[in-house]
Amino acid sequence: MNQAKVFNKRRSGILLHITSLPSGNLGADAFKFIDFLCASGGTVWQMLPLGPTHEDGSPYQCLSAHAGNNRFICRETLKSQSWAEPTKLNDAKMSRLMATAYRQFLKNASEEDKQQFISFCSEQQYWLDDYVLFREIRHLNQARAWFDWPQELRERHPDALNKVRQERDEALMIRRFEQYVFFTQWQQLREYANKKGVKLFGDMPIFVAHDSADVWAEPLLFTLDEQGASTRVAGVPPDYFSETGQRWGNPLYEWQHHIQQDFDWWKRRLKTQLALFDLIRIDHFRGFEACWEIPATCETAVDGEWKPAPGEQLFDELLDYFGELPLVAEDLGIITEEVTKLREKYGMPGMKILQFAFGGDASNPYLPHQQCEDSVTYTGTHDNNTTLGWYQQLDEHTKAHIQAYFGETTESMPWLLIRSALRSVSELAILPLQDILSLDGKHRMNVPGTMMGNWLWQFNWDMFSPEISQRLKSLNSLYGRC
């Protein structure tokens, strides 16, 4: 059985996306947060996907499964480089700033620095060339989706692509340089975290956005017609929460093509993520056993059907290629016995959400007494309300169940659930920062199924007090997670 090294001892961590830092980038706030995590006894920092987003800002619908979001680049760190001319790096628009920085780099950088950039471009060529071409053509077409581009560009005619390469050579190099800067700053952060004993925990959506470099570059791997339009899309069927289900709209995988290529696309995708993170959560894991396939002509998810996926073949191939798979399976919702067997075969811990535990009976799988070591316990995830906001909206029956379950206690929400997560048998406990700061529902990260007002929350350091770190460290120590 494959078992991720991060689970060789009890740990705790905090869920916080980069955008929620006061600066929203990889600069001083990110390093300061690692220091806070360490001072609190935590050793895992979990975040959301890092890719460049569409206009809605969702990290789960990125323009690339490989690239980093340029908004995470720290300008102050950029200005501190030996080749930089800081007074000339003040443009508010990131694209113009990076163009200026690239020209300074060519003019002033040492041969060693230039060679590192050349090496980066060579090592990342397996995704970087398609990505920068995709972004530049998208820019030249007023940010229209690739399937709305002129035919010769949409279908990647060699002459049309070569014309762009020749005419936009510097612009393409600037986009490569932008990714070089992102990955360089990221590695500095990861090295700092690892030296402090902190593991970085990433997030990989099972599906990719239709309008992405990945789908444009290799359309045969996805359920598309000859014009690039989706024929079948992803989602989940109707359930207790929605009479019409959820129609996500992502194209599905043409699995037979992936099998014929020995899952090379997946190897490349995971290779990039493992270069960024020590541990990775796979969103919607059940889709590797079977996924809900919806005809693209349907406006809801009602008329979909379950279609099997080659999960065992895929993970056998990945395990053979990488040697180990430090993956956590997002196994929430209605999970069949087959999905559980698939997860357990490859030693992937599942997720236990305490906000889902109460209001029913003793058989609820999320209740603390139902949990197992090979799992990750959360108070809530980015899709949930904050624990305080959740509790404030509960009906009296569910509140009574919570009181009866935990018995007489003077501890109030959210710390009652924080303590429960930390003392659980799960080898990893993850707490959203909003819960540690005792914030209400106005501070939640996103509301599933909505398009507006998500992914915007940021904390400020004034929300912290010395008592928070001390209280958390005391609980981590008490329950063997330091």
Side-chain angles (χ1 to χ4, degrees):
M1 178 184 288
N2 164 60
Q3 179 64 41
K5 291 180 180 178
V6 74
F7 289 108
N8 285 352
K9 66 175 185 176
R10 285 170 64 81
R11 294 177 180 269
S12 77
I14 296 176
L15 171 59
L16 179 81
H17 196 35
I18 300 294
T19 56
S20 295
L21 293 164
S23 62
N25 64 44
L26 300 176
D29 285 326
F31 289 82
K32 185 176 179 180
F33 178 72
I34 290 172
D35 293 340
F36 166 77
L37 183 60
C38 292
S40 305
T43 56
V44 177
W45 180 0
Q46 183 175 355
M47 56 196 74
L48 309 185
L50 299 176
T53 64
H54 290 78
E55 288 71 20
D56 64 358
S58 171
Y60 293 92
Q61 293 284 346
C62 290
L63 292 160
S64 169
H66 299 272
N69 193 333
N70 67 6
R71 73 181 282 193
F72 297 157
I73 291 173
C74 175
R75 294 163 183 259
E76 295 308 310
T77 303
L78 189 66
K79 290 179 181 180
S80 71
Q81 299 305 301
S82 59
W83 47 261
E85 301 169 36
T87 58
K88 298 179 182 178
L89 291 175
N90 291 316
D91 202 301
K93 190 172 177 62
M94 180 60 76
S95 60
R96 290 197 297 263
L97 176 73
M98 294 309 301
T100 303
Y102 173 67
R103 291 165 190 146
Q104 290 180 11
F105 179 82
L106 289 184
K107 175 185 172 186
N108 302 325
S110 67
E111 288 306 312
E112 182 181 357
D113 284 340
K114 290 178 182 177
Q115 187 56 51
Q116 287 179 353
F117 173 51
I118 292 169
S119 297
F120 171 82
C121 292
S122 176
E123 291 165 3
Q124 306 302 320
Q125 186 177 5
Y126 66 95
W127 65 269
L128 185 59
D129 287 1
D130 281 323
Y131 172 71
V132 299
L133 199 56
F134 169 83
R135 290 302 302 268
E136 188 62 21
I137 297 172
R138 198 173 187 273
H139 168 70
L140 295 172
N141 283 272
Q142 293 75 50
R144 288 199 296 270
W146 69 265
F147 38 85
D148 293 326
W149 294 350
Q151 181 181 1
E152 66 274 12
L153 294 172
R154 183 182 73 234
E155 296 180 357
R156 297 174 58 87
H157 292 185
D159 290 346
L161 297 188
N162 285 333
K163 186 171 185 287
V164 176
R165 291 187 183 104
Q166 291 167 7
E167 294 179 355
R168 306 294 296 178
D169 178 64
E170 186 191 45
L172 294 171
M173 289 305 297
I174 290 168
R175 293 186 184 277
R176 288 186 179 90
F177 180 72
E178 181 179 86
Q179 289 301 304
Y180 170 69
V181 171
F182 169 85
F183 277 84
T184 299
Q185 291 193 4
W186 179 267
Q187 289 305 325
Q188 290 169 350
L189 182 71
R190 184 176 180 183
E191 287 173 13
Y192 183 80
N194 289 170
K195 284 180 182 177
K196 292 266 187 173
V198 170
K199 305 284 188 180
L200 298 185
F201 186 1
D203 197 340
M204 190 173 81
I206 182 175
F207 300 115
V208 295
H210 187 184
D211 183 22
S212 66
D214 315 282
V215 180
W216 172 68
E218 299 180 82
L220 293 179
L221 298 179
F222 302 90
T223 52
L224 308 177
D225 63 19
E226 292 181 356
Q227 284 71 48
S230 293
T231 57
R232 291 158 285 154
V233 298
V236 289
D239 57 19
Y240 175 80
F241 299 101
S242 172
E243 293 181 358
T244 58
Q246 295 181 43
R247 184 189 185 280
W248 297 335
N250 307 71
L252 295 167
Y253 296 109
E254 289 285 11
W255 283 116
Q256 198 56 43
H257 287 287
H258 289 266
I259 293 169
Q260 290 169 0
Q261 297 180 12
D262 296 325
F263 299 101
D264 179 66
W265 186 89
W266 285 95
K267 292 171 186 174
R268 286 180 273 136
R269 187 181 185 193
L270 193 56
K271 176 183 176 181
T272 307
Q273 296 306 304
L274 290 173
L276 294 168
F277 297 108
D278 302 292
L279 180 67
I280 301 164
R281 184 189 87 134
I282 299 183
D283 196 34
H284 195 60
F285 176 80
R286 73 107 49 246
F288 289 111
E289 193 279 325
C291 56
W292 190 246
E293 184 178 281
I294 308 163
T297 53
C298 296
E299 295 184 1
T300 72
V302 170
D303 294 324
E305 60 179 328
W306 289 109
K307 285 296 181 74
E312 282 197 51
Q313 286 177 268
L314 169 63
F315 291 118
D316 280 344
E317 194 74 35
L318 293 177
L319 187 56
D320 182 62
Y321 186 80
F322 290 104
E324 67 168 8
L325 299 177
L327 305 176
V328 169
E330 184 272 290
D331 57 345
L332 307 176
I334 300 173
I335 300 300
T336 65
E337 184 178 340
E338 290 79 11
V339 176
T340 300
K341 285 181 178 178
L342 181 66
R343 178 182 65 76
E344 290 178 344
K345 178 177 179 179
Y346 299 95
M348 298 181 198
M351 293 172 57
K352 305 296 183 183
I353 314 299
L354 290 175
Q355 286 188 27
F356 294 163
F358 303 98
D361 59 27
S363 65
N364 186 309
Y366 299 109
L367 282 165
H369 72 266
Q370 294 281 12
Q371 294 174 13
C372 59
E373 288 185 20
D374 191 21
S375 64
V376 184
T377 290
Y378 294 77
T379 50
T381 73
H382 66 89
D383 278 334
N384 294 96
N385 201 342
T386 68
T387 293
L388 182 58
W390 162 78
Y391 184 76
Q392 290 171 340
Q393 294 178 353
L394 288 181
D395 58 66
E396 293 306 314
H397 167 75
T398 306
K399 286 184 177 179
H401 184 204
I402 292 171
Q403 184 175 0
Y405 191 88
F406 289 108
E408 292 298 325
T409 176
T410 57
E411 205 155 37
S412 59
M413 289 294 180
W415 283 90
L416 182 63
L417 244 58
I418 289 174
R419 180 186 291 273
S420 180
L422 293 176
R423 75 180 174 198
S424 71
V425 296
S426 296
E427 294 216 316
L428 178 59
I430 296 288
L431 312 168
L433 183 65
Q434 292 96 317
D435 288 354
I436 293 168
L437 298 178
S438 299
L439 299 176
D440 63 20
K442 295 194 295 290
H443 298 269
R444 72 181 292 174
M445 189 61 168
N446 73 290
V447 179
T450 65
M451 298 292 290
M452 303 295 292
N454 296 319
W455 322 110
L456 301 175
W457 180 75
Q458 289 184 311
F459 75 83
N460 63 71
W461 291 108
D462 292 340
M463 295 175 174
F464 290 72
S465 68
E467 291 74 22
I468 291 175
S469 182
Q470 293 165 8
R471 186 176 188 181
L472 200 53
K473 185 169 186 179
S474 175
L475 290 175
N476 275 319
S477 178
L478 181 64
Y479 297 120
R481 295 192 183 274
C482 277

